[in-house]
């Protein structure tokens, strides 16, 4: 099964572009965390490189991502006051899930993290000297103290725990009484939930009320709520 959040099989990461962006290039243009897309029913598409000229200003930064199949991939960042041209819009990635091709959606998440890393590593965190791109790899290096900063692609893990027709959910005490709980371990945020503040309950997927709750202090013993 192909997961939309993993790197596509035909994607090859690289930092050395064979040339300049052309009509076949895939362009991931961001304004802060928003991706520029062109609206066309039933889905959405990325803008062509020539269409980026309609933004009326040059990008703040441009990164080469590698290739998807035979198509070169680039990430761009534009200023916060850059307006989308007619027929396009800035859109958050979460809202694009299912509306953008799965491969492009996966690369968009990676592109956004690379752009954020590049933006936040302009200066050395140790001595304050302007950083420069390290030749041949995706890294920034301080010319003064030689500190090297690599991008950190944040992983996210979601799990589904089933018991016949029930699924295991977790909820925090600050949730409203009727609030639906969430999956018990999604990304590293789960580690912030201490056992004392976390309750786990089994629910039937179609049910709105808890079926059974398991005490965090004694997970092997269950009680009805
Ligand atoms: Zn330094």
């Amino acid at each position: 099964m192909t997961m939309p959040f993993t790197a596509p099989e035909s994607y090859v990461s690289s930092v050395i572009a064979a040339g300049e962006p052309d009509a076949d290039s895939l362009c991931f243009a961001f304004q802060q965390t928003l991706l520029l897309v062109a609206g066309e029913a039933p889905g959405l598409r990325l803008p062509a490189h020539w269409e980026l000229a309609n933004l009326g200003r040059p990008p703040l930064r441009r990164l080469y991502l590698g290739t998807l199949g035979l198509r070169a991939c680039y990430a761009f960042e534009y200023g916060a006051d850059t307006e989308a041209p007619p027929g396009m819009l800035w859109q958050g990635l979460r809202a694009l899930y299912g509306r953008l091709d799965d491969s492009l959606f996966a690369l968009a998440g990676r592109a956004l993290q690379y752009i954020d890393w590049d933006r936040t590593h302009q200066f050395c965190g140790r001595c304050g000297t302007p950083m420069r791109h390290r030749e041949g790899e995706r890294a920034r290096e301080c010319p003064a103290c030689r500190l090297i900063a690599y991008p950190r692609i944040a992983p996210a893990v979601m799990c589904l725990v089933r018991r016949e027709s029930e699924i295991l959910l977790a909820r925090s005490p600050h949730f409203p009484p009727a609030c639906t709980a969430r999956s018990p371990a999604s990304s590293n945020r789960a580690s912030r939930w201490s056992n004392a503040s976390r309750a786990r309950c089994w629910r039937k997927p179609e049910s709105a009320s808890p079926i059974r709750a398991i005490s965090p202090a004694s997970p092997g013993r269950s009680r009805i709520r």
Side-chain angles (χ1 to χ4, degrees):
M1 184 172 73
T2 300
M3 298 298 290
F5 306 106
T6 57
E9 289 185 4
S10 58
Y11 171 65
V12 178
S13 178
S14 175
V15 295
I16 303 175
E20 290 295 304
D22 57 25
D24 288 331
S25 298
L26 294 170
C27 299
F28 300 87
F30 291 95
Q31 181 194 68
Q32 298 178 331
T33 60
L34 306 179
L35 178 67
L36 185 66
V37 291
E40 289 181 351
L44 297 170
R45 65 172 177 83
L46 296 177
H49 182 250
W50 64 267
E51 291 178 301
L52 298 182
N54 295 333
L55 292 170
R57 60 188 64 189
L60 300 176
R61 68 192 77 253
R62 185 184 88 184
L63 297 176
Y64 179 64
L65 305 177
T67 55
L68 181 67
L70 298 176
R71 306 180 70 179
C73 304
Y74 292 86
F76 302 83
E77 182 184 33
Y78 286 85
D81 58 346
T82 306
E83 294 188 6
M88 297 187 192
L89 72 159
W90 298 107
Q91 187 70 266
L93 293 187
R94 184 172 297 180
L96 292 175
Y97 178 55
R99 302 184 66 195
L100 200 64
D101 175 86
D102 284 351
S103 297
L104 300 182
F105 182 80
L107 283 183
R110 182 173 292 252
L112 175 59
Q113 293 181 72
Y114 284 152
I115 285 287
D116 183 67
W117 162 77
D118 192 78
R119 182 199 308 120
T120 55
H121 290 80
Q122 293 294 303
F123 297 92
C124 177
R126 179 189 289 159
C127 71
T129 300
M131 302 274 271
R132 62 189 181 194
H133 285 285
R134 188 172 166 86
E135 189 173 346
E137 63 178 341
R138 197 175 305 284
R140 295 185 71 90
E141 182 177 21
C142 174
C145 72
R146 301 300 176 188
L147 178 71
I148 300 174
Y150 294 94
R152 290 176 297 179
I153 301 298
V157 178
M158 299 184 72
C159 67
L160 171 65
V161 182
R162 292 182 53 186
R163 185 176 65 184
E164 297 179 346
S165 63
E166 299 173 314
I167 58 175
L168 184 63
L169 298 176
R171 70 184 311 277
S172 179
H174 70 266
F175 284 7
C179 180
T180 302
R182 66 170 175 78
S183 177
S186 57
S187 78
N188 56 8
R189 292 177 57 189
S191 63
R192 300 180 196 167
W193 286 37
S194 68
N195 282 339
S197 65
R198 180 171 48 186
R200 304 169 191 165
C201 59
W202 292 96
R203 293 188 186 189
K204 292 183 182 298
E206 70 278 12
S207 172
S209 58
I211 301 299
R212 185 186 300 271
I214 300 175
S215 168
S218 55
R221 300 173 60 187
S222 61
R223 59 189 172 84
I224 302 295
R225 267 191 174 175

